[in-house]
Amino acid sequence: MDAPVSAAIVEFVRWIGAGRDFGQVRVLPLGPRHELRHASDAARPSGELRTSTVDGLRAVGRHTATGAFRPLSGAPNLPGGWRCLVASADELELALGQLYPGGLADWFAVRTAAARPIGFRAFVERQTGIYSTVRDLDEAAAAEVVRAGCDAVSCLKRRQWAVAGLEADGPEKCEVPCLEPCAVLLEFARRAAALAAEPRRALEIAEGETGTLLAALAIASTSAPGTDGVREGDMAHPANPRRLRLLLGKLRRQVGPMAPPEKA
């Protein structure tokens, strides 16, 4: 006897209708089957895309297009160039789970109001060992960490949990929800707590150089995860984009509004 189809995938099939994006994956109905491909490949002829099995999708999501390891499934660097055909709702559920583990279940929980997001403070209070230092972050510092660490440049998942001073994400992010802080954010928060405990250093720069510094940080902090030779999960690297955004936010709040540049 066939196992019953989950309520989550039944609702998902109804929701996608003629086709929708789930994260960076375009899901299209093809008669009784469904096709998955990268959303950026939506207009490409099928013959230009390599065919992947359901099991093969796990390997697709493991590395970026340049071969860098992807520690975060919600990072906006899922490689394209593939398509996967599934014959049933069960296979569709398995395929989605290869690319976004737990994403469908979390999506269904949010959609049915059954989700119970875990806020940042509740999450860090249960940490032990080397991660117990994250508890030392005050509410303002914690909000800075979340703002920098969960930016859409680094993660497309829609954050359902909040931290003091920063509400949950709105519809500007994708349909894959995030119900609690992830391991990557936790490691980033640990690094931020360590930086906060380091000695302070005063820097003397010209007034006009302040804008240059902010602009340089803004440009550098928009790098895609895993580029510029910096591993996405390497929070010790000073050029990690999350660290750049964290510093940029701190400087902006200290400097305040900048006057527009003078015309030549």
Side-chain angles (χ1 to χ4, degrees), residues 233-254:
D234 185 4
M235 303 305 170
H237 200 297
N240 187 289
R242 286 180 171 85
R243 287 185 56 169
L244 296 175
R245 283 195 299 274
L246 182 64
L247 179 57
L248 176 62
K250 290 179 179 179
L251 292 178
R252 279 175 171 168
R253 280 182 279 282
Q254 290 182 25

Side-chain angles (χ1 to χ4, degrees), residues 61-260:
R62 189 173 294 141
H63 297 91
T64 68
T66 59
F69 176 67
R70 298 178 70 239
L72 194 63
S73 65
N77 55 6
L78 181 71
W82 53 270
R83 67 192 290 257
C84 178
L85 291 174
V86 296
S88 65
D90 283 339
E91 280 196 356
L92 176 59
E93 185 169 13
L94 288 172
L96 292 171
Q98 301 283 42
L99 298 170
Y100 294 106
L104 179 63
D106 290 345
W107 173 86
F108 186 64
V110 170
R111 195 165 177 84
T112 57
R116 297 294 181 266
I118 299 174
F120 181 86
R121 188 55 59 186
F123 179 80
V124 301
E125 286 299 327
R126 70 190 191 193
Q127 303 303 317
T128 59
I130 62 173
Y131 293 106
S132 61
T133 58
V134 177
R135 303 175 194 164
D136 298 334
L137 293 171
D138 61 25
E139 300 307 332
E144 288 179 336
V145 166
V146 174
R147 188 178 289 108
C150 300
D151 188 276
V153 175
S154 289
C155 185
L156 294 174
K157 285 188 176 182
R158 190 179 299 182
R159 180 173 51 81
Q160 302 291 315
W161 48 272
V163 61
L166 191 63
E167 297 300 319
D169 286 332
E172 68 277 1
K173 282 195 171 182
C174 79
E175 293 291 342
V176 185
C178 173
L179 300 185
E180 67 175 42
C182 67
V184 173
L185 182 69
L186 179 60
E187 177 59 23
F188 177 49
R190 184 176 79 90
R191 176 57 55 176
L195 290 170
E198 289 184 359
R200 307 291 94 178
R201 172 180 290 183
L203 297 177
E204 291 189 10
I205 60 175
E207 181 67 25
E209 292 174 322
T210 303
T212 301
L213 177 59
L214 294 175
L217 283 170
I219 293 169
S221 66
T222 59
S223 297
T227 59
D228 299 330
V230 181
R231 289 187 295 107
E232 183 179 358
D234 185 4
M235 303 305 170
H237 200 297
N240 187 289
R242 286 180 171 85
R243 287 185 56 169
L244 296 175
R245 283 195 299 274
L246 182 64
L247 179 57
L248 176 62
K250 290 179 179 179
L251 292 178
R252 279 175 171 168
R253 280 182 279 282
Q254 290 182 25
V255 172
M258 295 286 295

